Every structure is written in structure tokens, then in C-alpha cells.
């Protein structure tokens, strides 16, 4: 009875797929698709009838779907109900883990960036670090979703990572999981008239936090220049990146995305800000190899619209759009549907953004605190200052001399 049911299920799946291909596709492609599905059907039955132990038909179909999606690119995947629910929680700004954004780069599980003020950040993980093992499990061939499951866990529990840094430096680091902070924006006046805003990730409340930070800085003094620090910002929500860009722009294109369908071809434009939110001062953006995705959108938007000068190192180059599409039984498909392009038409994906001033990075001091009760005051003690951070120092000097730079003729 189980076999009859599973064959009926498989037949229905194939019929649905064939129906989807019944219009708008050439006969050659239809024939090719039919042959491939027939091959799938033969293998499915072979496994079901001859494998060493009885298998769940649903597991076979889900495995086939996961394999199909993972063959497209590292970012496309089937999200099971618990993974889909976790993603919804994460974008709202709070989850338990070590606090890193990861990707598959050159077929290796790679750190995009550690999220600021998290266990991974305090442990010294860096953009580009390759994760060879999670605890004792090799990451070779591991999917991102599976890696995330292993990295997440209850607060206070340890996870051991084997890291390859560069070409030869292999070391182990044990990190204690914690609740990842929900604050994505922090700010400080570096010196009279020159503000500093750090955005660590793009979440639902990032714009709200940014507006509050800017209002606080602007109430303290007349702002002559602002440093917007997007280093080690792994990205986040597209809408949040658009909103943050729009906060600093009065007009112009922010970003446009291109996919195969009309639904995935969109252009986002800036709108004039209300009178009490006109930020009439120059901006210097700091980026590095850990600046990715949504952070690259903001950088590209402000750079191409001549709104900001960019300082630091070339960004990561993660410029593909993943659309999360809910399906039945609380599953979802995470599918790459388009690529980001900056206002000048430059693709971000696998290219990144080159700064106007290329300045090598220096390690930002990271205090190792024994307890988890970190306060805003303790964070400010670790804020990068011109004295200890070369890129901040250069950005500050550029802002102070921006008028002279703008007068250059060549």
C-alpha cells in the first residue's frame, strides 16, 4: 500500500511539472524535460524497490528537490518549516548562535563577516576565513543551511571551529554561543562636528535606529561630515538597504535588480526627505572584504550618486537576490532570482565595489569581556578612533579637506 501511494505521489509530481512545461516552451525542450523526468522516475523506483533498507518516499522526493536547488548555486535551497521559521525570527533581529554570515566560496564554507559585538566577533574571526570543520564534522560538501544548524544552539553551549586563514594558517577556536544582539546601529561624535555611525547589519528596525542616531548627533553639534562604517557588515534585508540609502539621498536611482522575469526586474529610486531630515553634509563610507550584499547596495548607491566617498578595501561581492517563496506544509524555497546593479549599471556579484581611496585595514581593538552584560558605554570604549584605526583617520582627514579636494581640476 505504501508503494502504491508513493508511486501515485511521484506520478502527480511529474504531471504537475509536465503541465508547467506545456506552454511557452519549444518542443525540443519539452522532449528533453520528459526524458529527464523519465530518468528520475526510473531511479526513484530502483531506490524504492532495491535499496538495502526501506526508505520514506517523502524523504526521497525532498532529497531530490534539495539536490536540484543546491545544484543551482550555494544560496538556493529548500527551507524546512523550522528553518523558515528561524529565518523570520532572525530578520527581526534576535537569534542564538555565534554571530557570523557564511557563504560557499570556491566550494569552501567561508565567513563573509562576523556580526559586531557577537561571540564570533570577539573570538577574532575575519572575513574570508574558511571553516574546515564544525566540532569534528568536516564541512566539505556541506550546504549552508546544514552549517547554520550546526553553528546555532542554546546560549552558553560551545562550538569548536577549525579555521583556515590565508593559505596555510590552520587553527581551532572554541566559541560560546550567545543571544545575538538586535541593535544594528551605533553612533558617536568623534570630535566636534564629525560624527561616526556604524551599521553592523540590515534588519527591520535599522532605518528607525539610523534616524534616531542621526537626530542625536545633529542635536549635539552642526555636522560637518559623517563617517558611515559598513565594514564587516554582511548585509541583510533589501528593503532596509534601500531605506538607509534613501535617508541620505534626495533623488536618483538607489539600486536596480535584473532577473529573467518582469517580476524580478525592479528599480528603486530615492525620494526627497522631509525638512527635518535633510542631511546636508559630506559622507565617507568605510568598507572592507566583509562588506557584502545589502551593505554593498548602500555603498554603491551613495558612491554612484556622488553622495559619499568610499574608503577602505574592496567589498565582498555578494550581489545576488534570494527570494524566499513560501509553499505548502510551511516549507519555503529560497531561490536566487536576480542580480543587484548599482546606479551606474555595475554588477556587484563576484565583483564587489572598489573604494575611491584604497586603505589597508587595521585590527579594531576587541575587548574580551568575561560577562555577557555588555553596555552601550562599554561598547563606546571600543569604538574605533582616528588614533587606533587608520581607515577612520583617513576618512576623517578626507572629510575635513573635502572642499579642497572638490576644487581640484585635472
Amino acid at each position: 500500500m505504501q508503494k502504491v501511494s508513493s508511486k501515485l505521489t511521484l506520478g502527480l509530481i511529474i504531471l504537475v511539472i509536465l503541465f508547467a512545461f506545456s506552454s511557452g516552451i519549444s518542443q525540443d525542450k519539452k522532449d528533453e524535460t520528459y526524458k529527464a523526468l523519465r530518468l528520475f522516475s526510473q531511479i526513484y523506483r530502483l531506490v524504492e524497490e532495491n535499496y538495502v533498507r526501506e526508505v520514506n518516499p517523502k524523504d526521497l522526493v525532498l532529497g531530490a528537490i534539495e539536490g536540484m536547488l543546491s545544484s543551482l548555486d550555494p544560496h538556493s535551497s529548500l527551507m524546512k518549516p523550522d528553518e523558515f521559521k528561524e529565518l523570520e525570527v532572525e530578520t527581526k533581529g534576535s537569534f542564538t548562535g555565534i554571530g557570523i554570515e557564511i557563504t560557499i566560496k570556491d566550494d569552501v564554507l567561508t565567513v563573509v563577516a562576523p556580526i559586531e559585538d557577537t561571540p564570533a566577533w570577539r573570538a577574532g574571526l575575519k572575513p574570508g576565513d574558511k571553516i574546515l570543520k564544525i566540532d569534528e564534522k568536516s564541512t566539505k560538501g556541506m550546504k549552508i543551511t546544514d552549517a547554520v544548524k550546526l553553528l546555532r544552539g542554546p546560549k552558553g553551549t560551545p562550538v569548536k571551529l577549525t579555521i583556515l586563514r590565508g593559505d596555510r594558517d590552520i587553527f581551532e577556536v572554541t566559541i560560546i554561543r550567545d543571544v545575538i544582539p538586535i541593535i544594528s546601529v551605533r553612533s558617536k561624535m568623534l570630535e566636534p562636528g564629525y560624527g561616526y555611525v556604524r551599521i553592523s547589519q540590515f534588519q527591520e528596525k535599522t532605518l528607525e535606529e539610523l534616524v534616531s542616531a542621526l537626530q542625536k548627533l545633529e542635536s549635539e553639534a552642526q555636522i560637518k561630515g559623517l563617517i558611515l562604517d559598513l565594514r564587516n557588515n554582511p548585509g541583510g534585508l533589501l528593503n532596509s538597504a534601500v531605506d538607509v540609502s534613501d535617508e541620505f539621498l534626495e533623488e536618483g536611482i538607489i539600486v536596480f535588480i535584473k532577473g529573467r522575469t518582469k517580476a524580478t526586474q525592479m528599480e528603486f529610486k530615492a525620494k526627497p526627505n522631509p525638512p527635518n531630515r535633510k542631511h546636508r553634509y559630506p559622507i565617507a563610507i568605510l568598507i572592507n572584504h566583509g562588506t557584502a550584499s545589502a551593505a554593498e547596495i548602500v555603498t554603491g548607491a551613495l558612491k554612484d550618486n556622488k553622495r559619499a566617498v568610499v574608503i577602505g578595501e574592496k567589498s565582498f561581492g555578494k550581489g545576488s537576490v534570494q527570494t524566499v517563496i513560501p509553499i505548502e506544509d510551511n516549507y519555503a524555497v529560497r531561490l536566487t532570482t536576480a542580480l543587484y546593479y548599482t546606479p551606474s549599471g555595475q554588477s556587484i556579484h563576484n565583483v564587489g565595489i572598489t573604494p575611491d581611496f584604497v586603505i589597508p585595514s587595521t585590527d579594531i581593538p576587541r575587548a574580551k569581556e568575561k560577562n555577557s552584560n555588555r553596555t552601550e558605554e562599554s561598547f563606546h570604549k571600543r569604538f574605533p578612533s582616528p588614533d587606533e584605526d587608520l581607515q577612520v583617520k583617513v576618512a576623517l582627514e578626507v572629510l575635513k579637506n573635502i572642499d579642497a579636494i572638490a576644487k581640484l581640476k585635472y
Side-chain angles (χ1 to χ4, degrees):
M1 188 71 180
Q2 185 182 25
K3 287 185 178 180
V4 172
S5 175
S6 65
K7 287 178 181 177
L8 284 172
T9 302
L10 177 63
L12 286 171
I13 291 171
I14 293 175
L15 284 173
V16 169
I17 296 174
L18 287 174
F19 177 77
F21 281 94
S22 63
S23 61
I25 294 178
S26 67
Q27 187 60 45
D28 288 343
K29 279 202 170 184
K30 288 180 182 179
D31 292 342
E32 186 179 344
T33 302
Y34 177 76
K35 287 179 182 178
L37 288 172
R38 188 168 61 186
L39 176 64
F40 172 78
S41 175
Q42 290 173 350
I43 295 172
Y44 177 92
R45 290 193 178 101
L46 281 172
V47 172
E48 186 185 42
E49 295 171 2
N50 298 287
Y51 187 61
V52 65
R53 63 175 182 271
E54 188 174 358
V55 291
N56 187 323
K58 181 180 178 181
D59 291 340
L60 288 180
V61 175
L62 288 178
I65 293 170
E66 289 173 345
M68 173 178 64
L69 291 170
S70 64
S71 71
L72 300 174
D73 61 64
H75 307 291
S76 296
S77 63
L78 176 69
M79 304 188 74
K80 295 174 183 176
D82 58 332
E83 295 169 338
F84 183 33
K85 185 177 181 180
E86 189 171 323
L87 176 68
E88 292 179 313
V89 171
E90 181 177 334
T91 56
K92 292 181 186 300
S94 179
F95 58 96
T96 303
I98 65 171
I100 55 171
E101 178 79 11
I102 54 176
T103 189
I104 304 293
K105 191 171 185 179
D106 300 326
D107 297 322
V108 181
L109 188 66
T110 304
V111 176
V112 175
I115 299 172
E116 190 167 279
D117 206 27
T118 64
W121 187 82
R122 291 190 293 276
L125 293 190
K126 295 183 177 181
D129 281 349
K130 296 175 176 61
I131 304 175
L132 304 182
K133 290 183 181 180
I134 301 175
D135 287 325
E136 297 304 322
K137 189 167 186 178
S138 171
T139 60
K140 186 176 181 180
M142 184 180 289
K143 297 184 296 183
I144 292 177
T145 50
D146 292 333
V148 169
K149 282 183 180 178
L150 293 174
L151 293 170
R152 298 281 173 85
K155 177 181 176 180
T157 58
V159 59
K160 183 173 71 175
L161 305 183
T162 303
I163 302 293
L164 170 63
R165 180 169 293 165
D167 297 326
R168 298 181 180 178
D169 187 11
I170 297 179
F171 60 94
E172 292 181 347
V173 57
T174 298
I175 303 174
I176 305 300
R177 298 179 178 98
D178 200 351
V179 176
I180 306 307
I182 62 173
I183 298 174
S184 61
V185 178
R186 290 183 171 95
S187 62
K188 184 180 182 180
M189 193 72 77
L190 290 179
E191 59 180 71
Y194 294 93
Y196 172 95
V197 170
R198 163 81 181 142
I199 301 180
S200 57
Q201 52 193 317
F202 288 89
Q203 302 174 341
E204 286 186 359
K205 294 185 178 181
T206 299
L207 176 64
E208 179 184 330
E209 293 175 15
L210 174 64
V211 170
S212 177
L214 292 175
Q215 288 175 342
K216 184 175 184 298
L217 288 174
E218 291 167 358
S219 67
E220 292 178 19
Q222 182 177 354
I223 303 298
K224 301 175 184 177
L226 179 75
I227 296 175
L228 180 61
D229 193 348
L230 300 180
R231 293 175 297 180
N232 292 340
N233 183 321
L237 300 176
L238 169 62
N239 289 343
S240 178
V242 169
D243 290 341
V244 167
S245 301
D246 196 6
E247 184 65 23
F248 293 112
L249 294 170
E250 293 294 315
E251 59 181 3
I253 295 172
I254 293 173
V255 67
F256 59 94
I257 64 176
K258 289 182 181 178
R260 288 177 58 192
T261 66
K262 286 186 178 180
T264 56
Q265 295 180 10
M266 293 184 284
E267 182 178 84
F268 297 87
K269 292 184 176 180
K271 305 176 293 295
N273 284 338
N276 63 329
R277 281 166 50 187
K278 304 283 186 184
H279 311 294
R280 296 188 175 93
Y281 39 78
I283 299 170
I285 299 177
L286 296 179
I287 65 172
N288 65 2
H289 302 313
T291 304
S293 190
E296 291 175 293
I297 289 176
V298 174
T299 303
L302 271 59
K303 183 177 189 285
D304 285 1
N305 281 287
K306 310 298 181 186
R307 181 66 181 87
V309 62
V310 180
I311 296 167
E313 299 168 297
K314 194 172 185 178
S315 63
F316 188 86
K318 201 275 186 186
S320 57
V321 181
Q322 278 72 51
T323 303
V324 178
I325 306 165
I327 53 179
E328 63 181 25
D329 294 333
N330 294 317
Y331 283 80
V333 172
R334 183 172 184 161
L335 192 65
T336 300
T337 55
L339 296 176
Y340 296 125
Y341 293 84
T342 67
S344 65
Q346 176 188 351
S347 173
I348 297 171
H349 197 56
N350 292 332
V351 177
I353 295 175
T354 301
D356 300 301
F357 296 88
V358 178
I359 306 296
S361 64
T362 54
D363 285 336
I364 300 172
R366 301 174 183 186
K368 292 184 178 180
E369 299 173 39
K370 295 182 180 180
N371 59 67
S372 59
N373 297 319
R374 297 177 296 277
T375 64
E376 192 73 9
E377 182 181 355
S378 71
F379 180 85
H380 284 317
K381 291 178 181 177
R382 310 195 299 278
F383 245 109
S385 71
D387 295 331
E388 62 193 23
D389 191 320
L390 177 61
Q391 291 169 334
V392 171
K393 182 176 183 177
V394 170
L396 192 58
E397 291 303 318
V398 168
L399 289 173
K400 288 179 177 179
N401 295 281
I402 199 76
D403 291 338
I405 295 172
K407 293 176 183 176
L408 291 177
K409 294 180 180 181
Y410 51 92

